[in-house]
Amino acid sequence: MDFSRYFRDYPTPDGHFGPYGGAHLTTELKEAFEEINAAYQSICQSAYFINELRRIRREFQGRPTPVYHCDRLSRKIGNCQIYLKREDLNHTGAHKLNHCMGEGLLAKYMGKKRIIAETGAGQHGVALATAAAYFGLECEIHMGEVDIAKQAPNVTRMKILGAKVIPVTFGQRTLKEAVDSAFESYAKNYKDSIYCIGTAAGPHPFPLMVRDFQFCIGEESRQQFFDMTGHLPDAVCACVGGGSNAAGSFAAYLNDPVDLYGVEPLGKGANTGDHAASINYGKPGTLHGFDSYVLADENGEAAPVYSIASGLDYQAVGPEHAFWHDLGRVNYVTASDKEAVDAFFMLSRYEGIIPALESSHAIAYAIRWAKEHPYGSILATCSGRGDKDVDYVVEHYGYGDDREY
Ligand SMILES: *Cc1c(COP(=O)(O)O)cnc(C)c1O
């Protein structure tokens, strides 16, 4: 397929990427999402909005984030050169703030006074609470009781930033119920509120909007890599949960001779069922109001999923990734918990960068690719920093002293 016209053709006006995407909504929510779509279609063409977002990125977020050449790690492996796009250096320590600031600016433009969202591990909640504080908006975060107990430091951060954290007490009391609870609150309050999803998934226009807000990752890295080396990387890789950092990392390269790799979490292994590799092991289906690849049980219900990286354990994947997979433009590969932990220690010891366990999946794949391609170059998106993961890693794997480096 010729990708030069891709952004003009996809998504279609009703939010389809081929057979995926769309918006399956109740009548009430339909109106609310159409309002968001109309507002976004208008502001994304507005010089005022674009310039304001650029200013915020520069002055508040600290963008552009650097591209970094992992010289010691590359030499350890061979002659292939590994590079990182350092989203861990974005304000709040991960890429999620890129779309939260865009969503906050949209809420302001629409004259809303409140932003509503769900959060699983709390990363999206913290990024959104940050955006709310910046824009002077009220912030309502729905979070399962089980997750609230597990993720106490993120709950504390959200509260310090002024967000209202609403415990979700029904069902499994985790992410899926938090989404249902946030949708319910939004249906009641959409006149003065806007819903802000945490990844490039959900009903139209969120997959499009979040990808656009994350586009800065690849747009910057493409120019930065070229300025550093005089050419483009042979390959780009990023981890895939819902797919926001990966969509932003890949979109700028679609029409280039660059191989793209989305890395899904293989958890404890394909045959254990304890993974969250939706494209590799899921089937086309519907979840949370959109069509994509979904990991479902025999009754078609969303299956329990697992990854050592809580930001990657989602039963579905953004619809554009499903489309890129079917088109053959992006290769969806996997990395296990073990490979991610190995990469976590390798990057810490060789480069002085402690990556998030989510990002460690992308780095694990970059290391594998480097071993197979002795003279190439690969750019991995380091989607976030690992401070949030150090206690867990030390408790289960020690300090890494028993490993060979
Ligand atoms: C949430 C999160 C992810 C996964 O989300 P995507 O939408 O797939 O990008 C990856 N890395 C970090 C650090 C995260 O916080």
Side-chain angles (χ1 to χ4, degrees), residues 25 29-37 186 195 203-206:
L25 292 162
L29 281 174
K30 200 163 190 263
E31 197 177 308
F33 276 72
E34 273 164 11
E35 187 196 345
I36 295 177
N37 189 36
Y186 179 49
Y195 171 70
H204 181 63
F206 282 95

Side-chain angles (χ1 to χ4, degrees), residues 3 222 225-226 231-236 250 252-261 329 369 377:
F3 281 87
R222 193 175 177 280
F225 194 97
F226 191 84
H231 52 80
L232 293 178
D234 293 314
V236 170
F250 299 160
Y253 296 91
L254 288 177
N255 204 33
D256 292 324
V258 174
D259 293 337
L260 303 172
Y261 296 91
R329 179 61 190 95
W369 193 93
S377 57

Side-chain angles (χ1 to χ4, degrees), residues 189-266:
N189 297 302
Y190 73 89
K191 290 269 185 282
D192 63 2
S193 306
I194 146 169
Y195 171 70
C196 294
I197 204 159
T199 186
H204 181 63
F206 282 95
L208 161 70
M209 210 161 78
V210 171
R211 182 211 62 206
D212 287 354
F213 291 144
Q214 293 292 349
F215 190 78
C216 56
I217 300 177
E219 186 182 34
E220 287 171 11
S221 76
R222 193 175 177 280
Q223 188 63 48
Q224 289 167 315
F225 194 97
F226 191 84
D227 290 345
M228 286 169 89
T229 66
H231 52 80
L232 293 178
D234 293 314
V236 170
C237 70
C239 65
V240 179
S244 67
N245 89 89
S249 302
F250 299 160
Y253 296 91
L254 288 177
N255 204 33
D256 292 324
V258 174
D259 293 337
L260 303 172
Y261 296 91
V263 188
E264 295 198 308
L266 193 60

Side-chain angles (χ1 to χ4, degrees), residues 86-97:
R86 299 286 310 276
E87 290 304 296
D88 56 313
L89 296 177
N90 198 27
H91 178 44
T92 72
H95 70 287
K96 283 198 177 73
L97 195 66

Side-chain angles (χ1 to χ4, degrees), residues 7 38 99 114 117-118 130 156 165 175 201 231 236 245 253 263-264 267 270 280 287 304 313 353 358 362 383 397:
F7 294 110
H99 64 250
R114 186 188 302 111
E118 74 289 334
T130 302
T156 305
V165 180
L175 180 62
H231 52 80
V236 170
N245 89 89
Y253 296 91
V263 188
E264 295 198 308
N280 276 277
L287 189 72
D313 59 357
I353 299 169
E358 290 82 1
S383 54
Y397 299 90

Side-chain angles (χ1 to χ4, degrees), residues 95-145:
H95 70 287
K96 283 198 177 73
L97 195 66
N98 298 336
H99 64 250
C100 288
M101 294 308 286
E103 289 170 334
L105 191 57
L106 179 67
K108 267 305 220 212
Y109 167 87
M110 293 172 74
K112 306 291 187 187
K113 65 169 199 189
R114 186 188 302 111
I115 49 188
I116 298 175
E118 74 289 334
T119 194
Q123 298 298 105
H124 176 53
V126 171
L128 200 65
T130 302
Y134 177 94
F135 289 108
L137 296 162
E138 291 172 27
C139 183
E140 183 183 300
I141 303 289
H142 296 250
M143 191 169 183
E145 266 187 336

